[in-house]
Amino acid sequence: MKAIVVTEFGKPDVLKFVDLELPKISSNHVLIKVEKASVNFADVKARYGKKGKGKFPFIPGLDAAGTIEAVGSDVKQFEVGQRVAAFPAGGSYAEYAVANENLTYLLPETVGFDIAAACPTVSFLSYKLLADLARIEKGETVLIHSAAGGVGTTAIQIAKILGAGKVIGTVGSQQKIEYALNAGADHVICYEKENFTEKVNELTGGIGANIILDSVAGRISEQSMDCLAKYGRLVHFGNSSGEVGHFKTNKLHSSCRSVIGFSLGTTRKERPEILKETAEQVFKFIDEGLLNIKIGQHFSLEDAASAHRLIESRQSTGKILLDINN
């Protein structure tokens, strides 16, 4: 099979297009012929050696969609020929991928491979952050950093589906404002042009946001505390800035505010079973036309390096997909 591998840490040029043997499956695995795979910022971090152990060579990629080619002897939920989305065990930038049965999800007939591949990381994550971690209540104000990206545009929509009264997004450049607005945000702030904490407090009548979704870290995390409402929940789930943020305890207890950490990667590894209900909810939203996953651009598998350059440039909007077997 054709695949992309990383043989050393470094810039996008370390992504090599190679021939590999078809992967073998164990008793609880399924073999998937991959149609589409998504590109996530976590893939960039893995390429630089900032995420995971990176035993060389490795195939990058977190999520994929395709058709089941073979099932292990202990697999009960799936059969050959079914259309699925999955979090593959050994990467998704390849013509075939192996996934554990409990990290594989049957697709409704109405959900195409494009949406299915773009969906798992961004939508499962957004749903977990808002429904389970932040425990969103109807009418609450949600602030979403990096609102024009794959997670951001998805989280905006899921916040609305779950009853948010107002959704405010932040973006790093003026060009991204319209994209976040088109995803459904009520207000979008460019934090390079405006003080987002002052603007959020102004938009909420001085109350602040009830929920803040933060994947940036560093100073953005620290400043977010200045516009987090009493009883508010800041959910921290990434560090795309590469910076470390610091929180002061005196900003928490008396205001009844919370800082919560979450990793979809850790959850896939430690508690994969809790994602089944998440998948059902997300595919229901898509099937009913409530959730529209924003796809920004397509690349061929061979051109994965260009996809990485785009996402690393911070100029991308929506999800980036690799077209594998089509």
Side-chain angles (χ1 to χ4, degrees):
M1 69 176 185
K2 299 292 186 182
I4 294 289
V5 298
V6 177
T7 56
E8 61 179 317
F9 295 132
K11 294 182 178 181
D13 292 342
V14 304
L15 297 172
K16 304 300 182 185
F17 186 58
V18 300
D19 285 301
L20 296 177
E21 290 186 11
L22 210 63
K24 295 180 172 61
I25 61 172
S26 64
S27 60
N28 63 342
H29 283 157
V30 298
L31 178 66
I32 301 168
K33 182 179 180 181
V34 180
E35 297 294 334
K36 309 280 183 176
S38 73
V39 178
N40 296 284
F41 197 79
D43 305 342
V44 172
K45 293 175 66 177
R47 196 193 72 231
Y48 278 120
K50 297 178 180 179
K51 188 177 184 68
K53 301 197 180 287
K55 294 179 181 178
F56 301 121
F58 68 87
I59 300 172
L62 299 179
D63 40 19
T67 305
I68 293 179
E69 287 278 306
V71 299
S73 57
D74 293 335
V75 171
K76 306 299 182 187
Q77 302 177 58
F78 300 102
E79 58 188 42
V80 172
Q82 289 182 312
R83 300 166 64 256
V84 295
F87 294 111
S92 60
Y93 291 19
E95 291 180 324
Y96 291 87
V98 171
N100 196 294
E101 178 182 23
N102 62 6
L103 287 171
T104 303
Y105 312 97
L106 190 65
L107 294 177
E109 287 300 319
T110 54
V111 179
F113 286 131
D114 278 17
I115 297 300
C119 160
T121 294
V122 296
S123 59
F124 290 19
L125 176 57
S126 297
Y127 182 83
K128 292 296 290 183
L129 296 176
L130 289 161
D132 297 341
L133 277 298
R135 303 180 308 281
I136 187 171
E137 296 181 8
K138 188 173 181 179
E140 289 191 313
T141 296
V142 180
L143 172 63
I144 299 170
H145 291 306
S146 298
V151 175
T153 54
T154 307
I156 288 168
Q157 296 177 75
I158 290 182
K160 291 284 186 147
I161 293 168
L162 296 176
K166 183 181 296 180
V167 177
I168 304 169
T170 69
V171 294
S173 66
Q174 292 282 116
Q175 297 92 320
K176 294 185 176 184
I177 290 176
E178 186 175 354
Y179 207 83
L181 288 170
N182 288 340
D186 298 294
H187 306 276
V188 182
I189 305 162
C190 176
Y191 55 72
E192 289 184 346
K193 300 290 184 180
E194 294 184 271
N195 182 316
F196 77 85
T197 62
E198 291 180 359
K199 189 65 176 178
V200 169
N201 287 328
E202 176 189 324
L203 291 169
T204 58
I207 294 172
N210 306 106
I211 295 168
I212 299 178
L213 302 188
D214 166 38
S215 61
V216 183
R219 63 183 179 84
I220 296 298
S221 300
E222 295 168 353
Q223 293 168 1
S224 292
M225 296 300 293
D226 296 329
C227 60
L228 183 62
K230 290 181 179 178
Y231 295 92
R233 292 84 72 199
L234 187 154
V235 188
H236 175 65
F237 64 100
N239 63 331
S240 62
S241 68
E243 301 173 358
V244 175
H246 298 87
F247 300 106
K248 294 181 179 179
T249 54
N250 63 0
K251 289 191 173 183
L252 297 175
H253 75 278
S254 62
S255 60
C256 301
R257 298 183 295 181
S258 305
V259 176
I260 308 164
F262 183 75
S263 165
L264 186 63
T266 301
T267 302
R268 290 197 307 267
K269 181 179 178 182
E270 302 290 340
R271 299 184 179 182
E273 66 282 353
I274 70 174
L275 294 176
K276 184 177 180 181
E277 186 270 342
T278 301
E280 291 172 353
Q281 286 294 328
V282 165
F283 288 136
K284 181 173 178 285
F285 294 155
I286 294 172
D287 187 46
E288 293 176 351
L290 298 173
L291 177 60
N292 177 23
I293 305 297
K294 304 291 184 180
I295 297 173
Q297 200 159 338
H298 292 254
F299 291 86
S300 66
L301 177 62
E302 188 173 2
D303 202 20
S306 294
H308 273 231
R309 291 187 190 98
L310 176 59
I311 198 170
E312 205 169 347
S313 73
R314 307 284 184 184
Q315 298 304 307
S316 63
T317 52
K319 286 293 293 181
I320 299 171
L321 292 185
L322 297 180
D323 298 331
I324 312 289
N325 278 299
N326 65 347

